[in-house]
Amino acid sequence: MDAKSTIGIAPDSDCVKGVVACQCELGREKLLTAPPYNRVSSPQDENKSRYSTAPCARDIDQNKCPISHVLITFKSPLHPNEVFNKVFPANTAIKYVKKKLAKLLGLSNNNILLTKNRTVLKDSSLVSDLKTDVLGNLVIDVFTKDSEEFSLSSIPKESYVHDLLHAVMPKKKAMPFIAIKFNIRNQNGIFTRSYHSIMKIHEVKKNLAGLFDTAHDNLVLLRREQPLQDRMALLDLDYDKYGIAEVELLTKNNEKLRLEKLYKELPINDVLSVMVPFGNTIKQINVEIFTELIEKPYLGGYRNIFTGIEYHHAYTQTPQKPEKLPPEKKNCRDTQTAEEREKIYDTDYSRATQMNCVKAYIPSVNDKIITPKPYETFEEMKRRLNQDHYASIIQRAFKHYQFRIKVERWLKECRDRINRMREQDQKEQEAMQRRLQRDLVTKTFPKTRQDFDQLYAMVDRWKHAEIARISQLHSKGPKIAEFTLLLDKEVELLRCIEAYRIKIKEDSRKIKEERFLEEISKPVAWYGRSGKLITMDTIEIQRARRLKELYNSFIREDAEVKERLELLVDMKFALQEFSHPLAEEIITLLDQECDLLVRRYNGFQLQFLRQRVAASILRLIKTSELNFGVTKCKDIREYRQMEQSRLYFCELCHQVKGYAEFPLNTKMSGFLVCTSCSWKDVNERSWVDMTPYKFILRAVQREERRRKCWGSLAFVLQEKDIFFIVEKLWHSHSAISECKDITELRLCRWRVNDDWSPWNCFLVTVQEMKAHLKLQNPQDVYDEELVQKVETKHKLAKANFEQLMSVNKRFTESGDWQSVRAPAVARVNAVEPI
């Protein structure tokens, strides 16, 4: 048997039976590095063995793991008795499994090979993609490339138990900080330190080594007589509900730690958890309690004359707190009042006072003669001072000052309100102008289906207006002629719109093709360690870039005949590399174009042939069997998204599509016709311009969002529902002023304190809406006829939206709706009125 017909190594009959490893003469290294054994009998089977671009859902479900974690059993075929088990999450890649196993075995990551059923596992594949047994377990064989010896039994079992417990048991409540009690075994000492929960054990050792001036390798931390691993996080410790864990600390060489570097005296400390109110929440704080000895004074004592031991009197009284200020710096009565002493002093000389007499003259120039005034009573003094009059003047001036301040504040508020209203009116006018300008642009240059619906609606309105005008004619002959001209004009308008739509669709298709070709020919890029951008071109990317250049050169229309012939020859040589029927068909078409060019056919005559060749080349580029770079394109991998979402069947196009491809409204009971079919089908399609109704819906949603009513039914309804409410229920005119301008109409709340709903809405103009929203009870303001009319509309809305009303009732009565939204009454006061 030749080498081309066999992939891998066929099993030898000389191999020992019952042993997984191969013991033949080829050697273990060739066996391990060889691809899986697979016989191929024909080229058709070879094509089937390739990976398809979009696998079916049945093949994916067979390899899909239904559980979150998988127990992997590692076996060594060279040592059948050695087995190692470990739990991995189902979404773990094989390269991370190899990395973890290499770390446990102490081997190089590139030296390990993982196989299943003699098939080498790819690094990019996931654990969930592998086929497991009924219980969700997986068996993988372990090899080494250079036959390096290893032992699976040398891996400690505690690692598996630890990972299994962490995978199965629920996690504890995470705490930001953890307080660790360190018990020093040799010194009988205890001290406590607080660390962040994400710190590792080796970081804690380095911190303690810096405190005690010792090497961190000399420190050992024990937990229940088991040493803690250096890469273990503090969050994995078995701490209590207050975030406290006890750990024993010792040194390898029995070195005593100098605890005086932590505290002056060895304290007996503890840790308490204190609940402190912090705003609206309660915060948990760890408090360390330190008990330090005080310096006791000497109170005397006695000495034993026989033994010579001295005994001192004990000092048991609690010392007082030291005073903050010394007595000499105090300002109080004890220090300012002088001490009084009585003492008798004898005068050294006599003193006398002199009076005016005959013998002595004393001038009286500076003397004053004081005479009493008339007696004044309290009432007379009160009348003279007139304090009430002056008090009234002061009060009048102060009240006038207060009134001026209030008037200025009122004027400022009034000016601000007027400016705010003027700015709001200006914003509304600018928004209306932008809306009209956007509508004009979409009518002139339509791009989407909604834009073309708007054009078709304009044609339909024009046709009905012309029909109404022609119907007023009295003569039968002019009527027939006018109707004939109207039909011709309508056909011409529809033909122009459809031609422009086809052109837009063709331009969109070309843009998608250019994006597709750019994406598959884009090199792989990443940033290195230095932050420099690194790009890599694989063989598939180079081939895709070459095909893109040939395709872009082929669709050129300005090339001469000689250049065109050279291009066709280059494309034939480039396509000969592919052994595919599509490539052979393109080569045949290229030969046909060469013959026609030699016979002097022009470009107009070769237009359809070139379009066929270009479509075939693009289909060849999109074929993943010939161009593996196509698989990274998002459009090709849509089946992934379809697999994760629910699919529904379209009755017109007979295709299975996602729910996003179907038109949505609250009155529908199921998905029947997709959006594309409903737009193409004349019976399903109605020429209605949904732009104003979409604007009304967005205005309602914006108002509910401003009131913070996130559970309102306005976020559930669609444009068709708003169209039904405006057209069928309110007949497209205001309930107050009968205004029929759809651009001025808005759907606001009827009861302002309740959330918006189809049975709590009111169709009015913008100015009428502003006045209506200021009313707390509209039944007391409007007349009875209008109130009865609005209640009738609400009953019709409840009858038409019965399904939506039942869902709302079920959520409201069960209490689940309260968890989604808060009552609107509590939020109405928070909205500033305009």
Side-chain angles (χ1 to χ4, degrees):
M1 184 178 294
D2 54 352
K4 294 183 179 180
S5 61
T6 303
I7 301 177
I9 301 176
D12 195 358
S13 58
D14 297 334
C15 297
V16 180
K17 297 182 179 180
V19 181
V20 181
C22 181
Q23 304 296 335
C24 59
E25 297 178 357
L26 293 176
R28 301 174 181 173
E29 181 177 359
K30 294 184 178 180
L31 174 61
L32 300 180
T33 56
Y37 172 72
N38 184 17
R39 288 186 186 274
V40 179
S41 58
S42 62
Q44 289 78 6
D45 296 335
E46 181 180 358
N47 294 332
K48 292 181 182 179
S49 65
R50 299 176 183 269
Y51 292 101
S52 59
T53 304
C56 62
R58 183 181 301 174
D59 297 336
I60 295 177
D61 292 339
Q62 291 178 357
N63 299 329
K64 188 174 181 180
C65 184
I67 57 178
S68 60
H69 289 74
V70 178
L71 176 63
I72 300 179
T73 303
F74 296 95
K75 291 185 178 181
S76 176
L78 303 180
H79 304 282
N81 296 328
E82 296 182 0
V83 178
F84 172 66
N85 300 324
K86 187 171 179 60
V87 177
F88 289 91
N91 58 352
T92 307
I94 294 297
K95 62 178 181 180
Y96 296 110
V97 176
K98 291 173 60 178
K99 185 176 180 180
K100 184 65 177 179
L101 187 61
K103 184 177 180 181
L104 294 175
L105 293 175
L107 301 177
S108 175
N109 188 19
N110 299 327
N111 194 23
I112 289 182
L113 287 176
L114 300 181
T115 63
K116 179 176 174 56
N117 297 332
R118 302 192 66 183
T119 302
V120 179
L121 302 180
K122 296 182 180 180
D123 293 343
S124 59
S125 60
L126 303 178
V127 175
S128 59
D129 297 336
L130 303 179
K131 187 174 182 180
T132 60
D133 56 4
V134 180
L135 300 177
N137 301 332
L138 190 63
V139 180
I140 295 178
D141 297 333
V142 184
F143 297 94
T144 55
K145 294 182 179 180
D146 55 355
S147 302
E148 185 177 356
E149 292 292 332
F150 63 94
S151 177
L152 294 175
S153 61
S154 62
I155 301 176
K157 301 300 181 181
E158 290 77 11
S159 177
Y160 160 69
V161 176
H162 177 76
D163 294 342
L164 182 61
L165 290 176
H166 276 263
V168 177
M169 294 180 62
K171 294 184 178 179
K172 298 184 295 185
K173 182 180 178 181
M175 303 192 69
F177 291 90
I178 296 177
I180 302 178
K181 275 187 179 181
F182 294 96
N183 299 326
I184 305 176
R185 179 181 297 180
N186 300 334
Q187 301 178 226
N188 195 16
I190 299 175
F191 67 96
T192 306
R193 295 188 69 84
S194 180
Y195 297 96
H196 202 280
S197 59
I198 63 174
M199 291 183 64
K200 307 292 183 181
I201 294 296
H202 68 89
E203 297 178 351
V204 176
K205 287 184 178 180
K206 290 182 180 180
N207 180 263
L208 296 177
L211 293 175
F212 297 115
D213 294 335
T214 182
H216 66 277
D217 296 333
N218 191 27
L219 299 177
V220 179
L221 298 179
L222 299 179
R223 178 72 170 170
R224 297 175 182 173
E225 301 300 326
Q226 294 293 334
L228 300 180
Q229 301 296 331
D230 290 343
R231 305 303 300 178
M232 179 181 181
L234 297 182
L235 194 62
D236 298 333
L237 290 176
D238 189 13
Y239 52 86
D240 56 7
K241 61 181 180 180
Y242 302 110
I244 303 173
E246 294 185 3
V247 175
E248 291 189 35
L249 176 64
L250 55 91
T251 56
K252 295 181 180 179
N253 55 1
N254 295 327
E255 179 185 355
K256 289 189 176 182
L257 302 177
R258 302 176 60 186
L259 298 178
E260 60 270 14
K261 291 185 173 294
L262 293 176
Y263 312 103
K264 294 181 180 180
E265 296 290 342
L266 181 61
I268 300 175
N269 54 353
D270 202 346
V271 178
L272 297 178
S273 181
V274 181
M275 310 297 287
V276 179
F278 188 75
N280 296 330
T281 61
I282 297 178
K283 207 169 185 179
Q284 186 177 10
I285 300 176
N286 295 330
V287 179
E288 297 181 8
I289 301 176
F290 298 95
T291 305
E292 297 182 357
L293 301 177
I294 63 173
E295 296 182 0
K296 297 182 179 181
Y298 179 72
L299 301 180
Y302 60 94
R303 183 174 61 86
N304 193 337
I305 59 175
F306 299 100
T307 60
I309 300 176
E310 294 183 356
Y311 297 90
H312 295 172
H313 296 304
Y315 182 79
T316 58
Q317 188 177 6
T318 303
Q320 297 180 356
K321 294 182 179 179
E323 297 180 350
K324 296 182 179 179
L325 292 176
E328 57 269 17
K329 293 184 179 180
K330 286 185 177 180
N331 296 325
C332 63
R333 184 175 180 85
D334 297 339
T335 58
Q336 289 182 350
T337 304
E339 185 178 1
E340 297 180 356
R341 292 183 180 180
E342 295 182 358
K343 191 175 182 181
I344 299 174
Y345 290 92
D346 294 332
T347 56
D348 297 336
Y349 54 90
S350 299
R351 293 181 179 179
T353 56
Q354 192 174 10
M355 301 295 293
N356 189 11
C357 61
V358 180
K359 297 180 179 179
Y361 172 75
I362 299 174
S364 59
V365 179
N366 296 327
D367 294 346
K368 293 181 180 180
I369 301 173
I370 299 175
T371 58
K373 294 180 179 181
Y375 179 75
E376 185 180 15
T377 61
F378 176 75
E379 288 77 6
E380 294 175 352
M381 184 189 68
K382 192 174 181 181
R383 286 195 298 270
R384 179 176 57 83
L385 296 177
N386 199 5
Q387 294 178 352
D388 295 338
H389 173 69
Y390 294 111
S392 62
I393 293 175
I394 295 173
Q395 290 179 1
R396 185 169 63 251
F398 181 71
K399 290 180 180 178
H400 184 64
Y401 168 76
Q402 286 183 333
F403 181 74
R404 288 202 311 270
I405 296 298
K406 289 183 179 179
V407 170
E408 290 178 359
R409 185 174 69 253
W410 292 338
L411 287 175
K412 183 179 179 181
E413 292 178 357
C414 184
R415 294 192 190 98
D416 295 341
R417 185 183 181 87
I418 293 173
N419 294 332
R420 188 166 61 251
M421 294 176 63
R422 189 183 294 110
E423 290 178 359
Q424 186 174 0
D425 294 339
Q426 184 178 359
K427 288 181 180 179
E428 291 179 357
Q429 293 178 1
E430 292 177 357
M432 182 62 67
Q433 292 178 1
R434 288 196 302 268
R435 178 185 173 188
L436 296 176
Q437 185 177 3
R438 184 170 60 253
D439 292 343
L440 181 61
V441 172
T442 54
K443 292 176 183 177
T444 309
F445 304 101
K447 292 183 180 180
T448 61
R449 291 179 178 176
Q450 290 79 9
D451 300 343
F452 284 101
D453 284 341
Q454 193 173 4
L455 291 179
Y456 286 126
M458 290 176 59
V459 174
D460 192 57
R461 289 195 301 268
W462 170 79
K463 182 183 72 173
H464 285 83
E466 290 294 320
I467 290 174
R469 181 184 63 82
I470 296 172
S471 300
Q472 295 177 358
L473 299 177
H474 300 284
S475 300
K476 186 176 181 180
K479 277 187 180 181
I480 296 174
E482 290 288 341
F483 277 121
T484 305
L485 292 176
L486 176 62
L487 179 61
D488 294 340
K489 290 181 182 179
E490 182 184 4
V491 171
E492 183 64 22
L493 289 174
L494 294 177
R495 188 191 63 78
C496 294
I497 295 174
E498 188 67 19
Y500 189 79
R501 188 183 68 83
I502 294 174
K503 183 178 180 301
I504 292 295
K505 185 177 180 180
E506 187 68 20
D507 295 342
S508 176
R509 183 185 63 80
K510 291 181 180 179
I511 292 173
K512 288 182 179 180
E513 291 177 358
E514 292 178 1
R515 291 179 181 175
F516 170 74
L517 295 174
E518 288 292 336
E519 186 173 358
I520 64 175
S521 61
K522 189 183 300 182
V524 181
W526 70 91
Y527 287 95
R529 294 184 177 179
S530 59
K532 185 178 180 181
L533 183 63
I534 302 174
T535 58
M536 180 183 68
D537 286 344
T538 60
I539 299 176
E540 292 81 5
I541 294 175
Q542 295 176 3
R543 184 183 298 173
R545 189 181 292 114
R546 175 61 177 166
L547 292 175
K548 185 194 75 171
E549 294 175 356
L550 291 175
Y551 177 77
N552 292 335
S553 302
F554 182 80
I555 61 178
R556 285 178 51 194
E557 298 180 357
D558 56 346
E560 298 181 357
V561 178
K562 186 176 180 180
E563 296 179 0
R564 187 73 179 179
L565 290 173
E566 293 178 358
L567 174 64
L568 295 177
V569 173
D570 294 340
M571 290 189 65
K572 287 176 61 179
F573 282 107
L575 293 174
Q576 287 178 359
E577 300 178 2
F578 305 100
S579 58
H580 197 271
L582 187 58
E584 297 176 359
E585 180 183 354
I586 296 173
I587 292 174
T588 305
L589 295 175
L590 292 177
D591 293 336
Q592 185 178 356
E593 184 178 356
C594 291
D595 295 339
L596 295 177
L597 285 175
V598 171
R599 295 178 185 180
R600 300 183 182 278
Y601 277 70
N602 55 15
F604 181 76
Q605 295 172 338
L606 299 175
Q607 180 180 1
F608 294 99
L609 178 61
R610 290 176 179 176
Q611 290 180 359
R612 179 183 175 186
V613 176
S616 300
I617 294 174
L618 187 63
R619 191 165 69 253
L620 177 68
I621 295 174
K622 290 183 178 180
T623 304
S624 62
E625 297 180 359
L626 305 178
N627 184 13
F628 296 101
V630 177
T631 56
K632 69 180 181 179
C633 183
K634 296 181 181 178
D635 298 337
I636 304 300
R637 289 191 169 184
E638 289 183 354
Y639 68 93
R640 293 285 186 183
Q641 184 179 0
M642 295 177 62
E643 178 192 0
Q644 298 176 359
S645 62
R646 293 185 178 181
L647 302 179
Y648 300 93
F649 180 74
C650 178
E651 295 182 354
L652 291 183
C653 62
H654 300 286
Q655 294 182 3
V656 179
K657 298 182 180 180
Y659 67 91
E661 300 293 333
F662 290 85
L664 300 176
N665 58 76
T666 57
K667 300 177 64 177
M668 63 187 301
S669 59
F671 298 102
L672 300 177
V673 182
C674 63
T675 306
S676 301
C677 297
S678 63
W679 196 85
K680 294 177 182 178
D681 190 7
V682 180
N683 297 325
E684 295 288 338
R685 180 178 55 186
S686 59
W687 301 123
V688 179
D689 184 12
M690 289 293 176
T691 305
Y693 304 102
K694 185 186 296 185
F695 182 80
I696 293 175
L697 177 60
R698 290 181 178 176
V700 174
Q701 292 176 352
R702 183 168 56 252
E703 180 67 18
E704 294 298 308
R705 194 180 298 109
R706 188 178 71 88
R707 294 178 180 271
K708 294 181 172 53
C709 297
W710 307 107
S712 176
L713 296 178
F715 300 100
V716 182
L717 300 181
Q718 303 296 324
E719 294 86 357
K720 292 185 178 180
D721 303 323
I722 299 298
F723 170 75
F724 179 81
I725 294 173
V726 175
E727 292 287 338
K728 304 301 180 182
L729 299 183
W730 296 95
H731 304 292
S732 299
H733 58 76
S734 174
I736 299 177
S737 61
E738 300 292 335
C739 178
K740 294 185 178 181
D741 188 4
I742 192 65
T743 59
E744 292 291 335
L745 297 180
R746 297 292 184 272
L747 277 174
C748 66
R749 297 181 177 184
W750 170 250
R751 294 180 297 275
V752 183
N753 295 336
D754 296 340
D755 288 356
W756 188 94
S757 61
W759 47 88
N760 186 29
C761 61
F762 192 42
L763 185 64
V764 289
T765 61
V766 178
Q767 300 298 330
E768 294 169 355
M769 179 186 67
K770 293 180 180 179
H772 175 76
L773 292 178
K774 298 178 182 178
L775 304 177
Q776 296 296 330
N777 193 2
Q779 290 84 357
D780 299 339
V781 179
Y782 299 113
D783 57 351
E784 185 177 357
E785 182 180 359
L786 179 61
V787 174
Q788 187 67 25
K789 177 183 177 181
V790 173
E791 291 179 355
T792 304
K793 302 294 184 183
H794 291 170
K795 291 179 181 179
L796 291 175
K798 290 180 180 179
N800 286 277
F801 293 93
E802 183 178 0
Q803 182 179 1
L804 183 62
M805 188 175 178
S806 62
V807 173
N808 184 33
K809 183 178 180 181
R810 185 175 71 253
F811 274 93
T812 305
E813 292 179 354
S814 61
D816 298 337
W817 197 248
Q818 300 300 327
S819 60
V820 179
R821 55 105 177 174
V825 181
R827 294 187 294 269
V828 127
N829 297 329
V831 180
E832 182 181 359
I834 298 175

